[in-house]
Amino acid sequence: MMDTTTFSALAEPTRLRMVEILKDGPLSVGDIAERLELRQPQASKHLRVLLEAGLVEVEAAANRRNYRLRTEPLEAMDAWLEAYRKLWSERFDNLDDYLRKLQSKDNS
Amino acid sequence: MMDTTTFSALAEPTRLRMVEILKDGPLSVGDIAERLELRQPQASKHLRVLLEAGLVEVEAAANRRNYRLRTEPLEAMDAWLEAYRKLWSERFDNLDDYLRKLQSKDNS
DNA sequence: TAGGAATATTCCCGTCAAGGAATATTATAA
DNA sequence: TTATAATATTCCTTGACGGGAATATTCCTA
């Protein structure tokens, strides 16, 4: 059973971009706001949602607050997806079978 | 760049359950409503969202409409996750390194 | 301790999504 | 063609969400 909180958090385009930006390392609120061309309050608000979803963590550094990506929810998504991967690999196998049959017909 | 449509669709618990139920094969609206204890209109409405998100496809069969899971959006999620997998595998590697160092210290 | 930079929070407003109930639509069978 | 089963759509209401603007908070530094 997958927690929909992660999906909710990532369903907002700005927050998805935040996650993508944070992939390369922690950033302060100001940096994030600047890169995404957001006003600071909006950045803080979206970061709060990501924080409560467990997708980021904060570390206070002097005046700044550095947000770092947390991978646990993404790992959970990855694990959730596991049950579905066989669906498209099966299809691929079927196609593979089909192509093999075609080839053996060609050779006969 | 990941389309947030998939996340939006899956952010709703009922729709996520629909996807999970459809993993084992196509189902009619009535079957879905029954299994999830939904009223039929709500089932239809949620299925419409999934349909527009490309997460399901419909096939009319007599009086029924059978909804089948489509894997493309899930494959896209899987591909999107790829860029993040190294984040937790790296951590694992670091832990692995750490444990190796501990062990070599023990042996000295 | 006062000032200022960085960040968080609150309030307000408009929009949108979801459920309930009723109704419309489609297709089958008699 | 008509009755009925299965499904879709509409209307209504309510609550949550996101942006803007203003303000509060926190922490450093002079």
Side-chain angles (χ1 to χ4, degrees), chain A residues 30 40-41 44 48 65 67:
Chain A
Q40 174 267 319
S44 285
R48 189 182 215 277
R65 308 199 80 198
Y67 283 82

Side-chain angles (χ1 to χ4, degrees), chain A residues 20-84:
Chain A
E20 291 176 342
I21 269 192
L22 289 173
K23 177 175 35 148
D24 303 320
L27 289 174
S28 70
V29 176
D31 288 343
I32 295 171
E34 185 182 9
R35 294 209 196 182
L36 302 186
E37 297 182 357
L38 297 173
R39 309 180 192 283
Q40 174 267 319
Q42 319 304 330
S44 285
K45 281 192 264 190
H46 281 303
L47 285 167
R48 189 182 215 277
V49 176
L50 290 176
L51 187 66
E52 287 170 350
L55 276 160
V56 298
E57 59 190 5
V58 212
E59 186 192 10
N63 226 359
R64 316 272 175 83
R65 308 199 80 198
N66 292 317
Y67 283 82
R68 177 193 309 268
L69 191 63
R70 286 186 73 249
T71 60
E72 279 77 359
L74 300 178
E75 293 184 57
M77 266 186 50
D78 194 51
W80 179 79
L81 272 178
E82 179 57 29
Y84 298 87

Side-chain angles (χ1 to χ4, degrees), chain B residues 8-87:
Chain B
S8 296
L10 298 178
E12 214 287 325
T14 299
R15 287 196 293 265
L16 183 62
R17 293 172 66 203
M18 283 182 168
V19 166
E20 292 177 340
I21 269 191
L22 290 173
K23 177 175 34 145
D24 303 321
L27 289 174
S28 69
V29 177
D31 287 344
I32 295 171
E34 185 182 9
R35 292 209 197 184
L36 302 185
E37 297 182 358
L38 297 172
R39 309 180 193 283
Q40 174 268 320
Q42 319 304 329
S44 285
K45 281 191 266 190
H46 281 303
L47 284 168
R48 188 182 215 277
V49 176
L50 290 176
L51 187 66
E52 287 170 352
L55 276 160
V56 298
E57 58 190 6
V58 211
E59 186 194 10
N63 225 358
R64 315 272 174 84
R65 308 199 79 201
N66 292 318
Y67 283 82
R68 178 192 309 267
L69 192 61
R70 285 186 74 251
T71 60
E72 279 76 358
L74 300 177
E75 293 184 58
M77 265 186 50
D78 194 50
W80 178 78
L81 271 178
E82 179 56 29
Y84 297 86
R85 291 202 182 93
K86 64 172 185 298
L87 294 183

